[in-house]
Amino acid sequence: MRKLTWAARGVAAVSGAMLLGALAMPAAAAHGGPDPKGKPAKGRPASTTPARPTTPRCSSERDVSSAVVDYSGSGLFETVFRAATDRQGHAFLNDSRNPGVWINLAILPGAPTCAQDTALSATEEDPGNLYITLLGSNGILYQAQCTTASGAPFTPATLPAACGAGFTPISGTPV
């Protein structure tokens, strides 16, 4: 019986030592994987595969702007143009002649990939011009000049033709 008691104490001591070692050892070294901080585990060579490049994430406050044609002699009278940004920096345009349709302005060439702010203005003629100005996360203002026509609301299909060259940077932006 004495031998059995001594053996039981020995097994308990060894089990305790193994448990203590497992708790004290980093998990990455225990399974041979990479360290959570990106360092290779001891005894393992560094990975030869290059790290994926990180693309900067765009974070933007939501922004809304609008312009209304208020010249009663125009076929665009009371047309409301709205621009908005979402939290990911995407900019959208809405034409009140086409309710519920929001056009992603990224379809226009030169649009900033991360819009922080929007501004709109419209001329009173028919056809007139709609000026869309976006502030990019790089501090540069980008502007597109789009021709409006009283009978044709903007849609994703018609906006690129109406805006011609798309967005161009405004030189000397002081932001």
Side-chain angles (χ1 to χ4, degrees), residues 66-81 95-97 121-126 128-130 148:
S66 62
V68 179
V69 178
D70 62 355
Y71 174 59
S72 62
S74 169
L76 296 170
F77 181 62
E78 295 184 341
T79 298
V80 181
F81 298 104
D95 181 339
S96 67
R97 300 172 293 172
S121 62
T123 60
E124 304 287 315
E125 299 127 15
D126 184 13
N129 291 309
L130 173 67
T148 60

Side-chain angles (χ1 to χ4, degrees), residues 42-139:
K42 287 185 178 181
R44 296 230 176 199
S47 175
T48 57
T49 56
R52 288 189 324 186
T54 58
T55 55
R57 295 197 61 184
C58 177
S59 178
S60 176
E61 294 294 320
R62 289 188 260 177
D63 180 67
V64 176
S65 60
S66 62
V68 179
V69 178
D70 62 355
Y71 174 59
S72 62
S74 169
L76 296 170
F77 181 62
E78 295 184 341
T79 298
V80 181
F81 298 104
R82 297 174 189 92
T85 60
D86 64 11
R87 291 181 196 250
Q88 289 78 38
H90 304 115
F92 300 91
L93 176 72
N94 171 258
D95 181 339
S96 67
R97 300 172 293 172
N98 197 0
V101 175
W102 287 86
I103 306 163
N104 188 341
L105 291 173
I107 65 172
L108 297 178
T113 57
C114 185
Q116 301 291 316
D117 201 356
T118 64
L120 295 174
S121 62
T123 60
E124 304 287 315
E125 299 127 15
D126 184 13
N129 291 309
L130 173 67
Y131 294 91
I132 306 169
T133 306
L134 301 177
L135 173 63
S137 63
N138 57 2

